[in-house]
Amino acid sequence: MNITKLLESIPYYKTNQTIDELEINGVSMDSRSIGLGDVFVCIIGSESDGHDFVHAAIDQGASLIIAQRELDVDFPVVIVNDTTKALAMIASTFYNYPTEQVHTIGVTGTNGKTTITYLLDEIFTLNNNTTATIGTIQMNIAGQTYPVKNTTPDALSLQQSFNQMLNHGVDTAIMEVSSHALDQGRVYGCDFDVAIFTNLTQDHLDYHESMDDYLRAKSLLFAQLGNGYNMEREKFAIINQDSPFAHKLIRSTAQPALTYGIDTEADITAKQISLHEKGSSFVLSTPKGDISIESPLMGMFSVYNMLASAGAAIVSGVDLTVIQQSFKHTKGVRGRFEPVLEGQPFGVVVDYAHTPDSLENVLNTMQEFCKGEIRVVVGCGGDRDRTKRPLMAEVAMKYADQAIFTSDNPRTEDPELILNDMTAHLSGDFVVEENRRKAIDIAITNSGQGDMVLIAGKGHETYQEINGIRHDFDDREVARDILLKVKGSQM
C-alpha cells in the first residue's frame, strides 16, 4: 500500500522529508516483529516507550517511523499528536476497515462478559452464522482457537484479527471489551453494531481513580456506537435496567437502547423463574413475543446473562426459537460455575468469582439449592486492588458456613500479607491456609452428604503466579485429584 493512501485516515501530521513514493508492506508497534518495508508506530506504554526502539526498528527493515515527538534520526518520520489513535486509524485503513464488514458485538461490565460471549457464539452458530469470539480465555475464529494476552487486544492486533476473520468467512464477531481497553483506546477503529452492558461493581480501582471513572470508561463503548442513524445498518445498546447505572449508560449513546431486567420494568425480562440444582427455567418476555426457556445454567446471574444475550440476538434478527434451543443445550463456560464430579455425595464447583459482587452472586446461587453446608475457598490476587480484599472476606464469612482463606495469584506480593489484608478485621471462625492445594483439601475432606464446596477466584486459569513465575495449578484438576483420593480411602 502506498503511504499516501495509508495516511489518508490521519487528518494532520508533519514529516521530516518527502515520503510520497514509499510503499508499505505492514504495520507494527513492536520493533522485534518489524518486517522489511513496515511502518513502525511508537507507542508510549506503561512499561516502555516505543520511541526508545526506533533504531532497532530501522535495523530490522522499517521503511517509516510514526512518532509523537521529534526524533534525531536521518530517516523518514511522520509526527502526529497521538500515536495510539494514529495506530488504530492506520491499522483500520491498512486492513480495509474489517469491522465495517462484520456484524460486531461488544460486551462490557464487571461480571458476565465471558459467559455472554459464549452464549452469543452458541446462538449465532445455531443460527447458521460463522462466528468469532475475543475474550478473557482465548480468541476463536471459525472454530480455531488462538491465545490472547489481554481481555481486549491492542488496536493493531484487533484489526489484524478482524481481517483474519474475514479471510475465514466470519460474519458475526462477539468481543469482551474491558474498561482498561476502552480507557487506553485499544478499541479505537472498531465499528460496533451492538454494545451490551452487564453490571458495574467494585473492581479495577487499582487502575481507575474511582467508581465514577470506572463508569466513564465503560460508557465509552456506548458513546462510540456513533451519533448518526443508518437504517441499512442499525446499531443498538443492550442495557441492564436493574443496574443503578443504567440511565447514565442509556444517556451516553445516541443509538436505541433495548433494556433487560428482572426487578424493574424492562423491554426484555424473565417471568415465572425457577432455579434448581440442575439449572433454571423461566418465560422469556420480549418485544418479539414470549417463549419458555429451560437451561442447564444455574442461578439468577445466569438468567441475567441469558437476558442480555437474548437482547443482542433479537436486535441482530435471530428468531426466538433459535435462542430457546441454544439456551437449552448450552455447555456454559470453563471455570464459570463449573461442577467437578467424581461420584461424591456433595457438590464441588469451580468459579472465576474474584470480586465481592461476583462471589456474593455465586454463594447466593448455592444457597438457593444447597441442602447442607457451604464451604468456600477464596483468596485475592497480588498487585491488584487492595480495597476489595476485606470485602471479599466479609462476603465469604456472610454467605458460607465455612470460609477458608488461601493464596490466589500472589504475583510479586507476600501471600501472608494479602491474607492479612483479607482477615485482620474479621471475627468468628475461619481457616487461613496459604497453600491453595491444602486449602482445597480441607474444604473437600470436611464435606459430606448434601454439602457444597466453592473454589473461587481462578476459574479457568491453569496456573498460579508466584514471584513472577507461573506454576501449573488448575483448581478443577486439584479438586478432582483430592476427590479421587478421598474416594479411594473410603473403599
Side-chain angles (χ1 to χ4, degrees), residues 100-115:
E100 293 183 5
Q101 305 171 63
V102 176
H103 184 66
T104 308
I105 301 172
V107 188
T108 198
T110 307
N111 304 308
K113 297 187 295 295
T114 299
T115 298

Side-chain angles (χ1 to χ4, degrees), residues 283-295:
V283 174
L284 175 64
S285 181
T286 82
K288 294 291 186 179
D290 293 358
I291 197 164
S292 60
I293 300 294
E294 294 279 349
S295 176

Side-chain angles (χ1 to χ4, degrees), residues 46 84 108-110 113 150-155 176-188 200 203-209 213-220 224 354 383-385 388:
S46 59
T84 297
T108 198
T110 307
K113 297 187 295 295
N150 298 303
T151 298
T152 312
D154 61 80
E176 293 184 50
V177 187
S178 69
S179 59
H180 290 63
L182 288 160
D183 190 60
Q184 295 170 7
R186 288 189 235 148
V187 292
Y188 287 158
L200 193 75
D203 198 15
H204 303 308
L205 294 189
D206 55 323
Y207 177 86
H208 296 288
E209 299 173 358
D213 186 58
Y214 189 23
L215 176 62
R216 174 200 59 79
K218 294 293 188 187
S219 72
L220 293 174
Q224 290 170 13
H354 61 289
D383 304 328
R384 297 294 188 270
D385 181 10
K388 75 177 183 182

Side-chain angles (χ1 to χ4, degrees), residues 221-412:
L221 178 63
F222 302 89
Q224 290 170 13
L225 284 173
N227 208 44
Y229 306 103
N230 180 354
M231 298 306 295
E232 294 183 0
R233 189 181 178 189
E234 294 181 288
K235 295 175 180 285
F236 294 92
I238 311 298
I239 306 288
N240 180 358
Q241 185 77 342
D242 287 348
S243 167
F245 304 104
H247 70 287
K248 290 186 178 180
L249 291 167
I250 291 171
R251 287 171 56 193
S252 72
T253 179
Q255 304 304 326
L258 193 71
T259 60
Y260 68 94
I262 296 171
D263 298 330
T264 55
E265 186 175 346
D267 299 311
I268 297 175
T269 190
K271 301 176 180 178
Q272 302 174 34
I273 300 171
S274 174
L275 306 174
H276 45 84
E277 69 278 3
K278 294 183 180 179
S280 58
S281 62
F282 58 93
V283 174
L284 175 64
S285 181
T286 82
K288 294 291 186 179
D290 293 358
I291 197 164
S292 60
I293 300 294
E294 294 279 349
S295 176
L297 299 181
M298 294 180 281
M300 192 64 75
F301 64 90
S302 294
V303 177
Y304 275 100
N305 291 336
M306 286 187 274
L307 292 180
S309 304
I314 288 168
V315 300
S316 302
V318 178
D319 191 82
L320 289 180
T321 57
V322 174
I323 297 170
Q324 179 190 51
Q325 287 303 306
S326 183
F327 288 164
K328 182 177 181 179
H329 299 290
T330 183
K331 297 177 181 177
V333 185
R334 287 190 299 122
R336 279 7 183 230
F337 216 87
E338 181 178 351
V340 181
L341 304 172
E342 290 295 337
Q344 75 275 9
F346 54 90
V348 177
V349 171
V350 172
D351 192 88
Y352 189 55
H354 61 289
T355 66
D357 178 70
S358 60
L359 183 63
E360 181 177 345
N361 284 340
V362 174
L363 288 171
N364 272 329
T365 296
M366 285 189 163
Q367 287 183 339
E368 291 164 1
F369 54 81
C370 180
K371 295 180 175 63
E373 294 184 341
I374 295 175
R375 290 176 179 80
V376 59
V377 178
V378 65
C380 286
D383 304 328
R384 297 294 188 270
D385 181 10
R386 290 184 64 181
T387 65
K388 75 177 183 182
R389 292 174 184 174
L391 302 179
M392 292 284 286
E394 289 168 12
V395 169
M397 292 289 288
K398 180 178 179 180
Y399 293 97
D401 296 287
Q402 183 181 37
I404 304 165
F405 300 112
T406 190
S407 180
D408 189 290
N409 287 320
R411 299 183 177 89
T412 64

Side-chain angles (χ1 to χ4, degrees), residues 16 242 426 466:
N16 64 343
D242 287 348
L426 297 179
I466 304 171

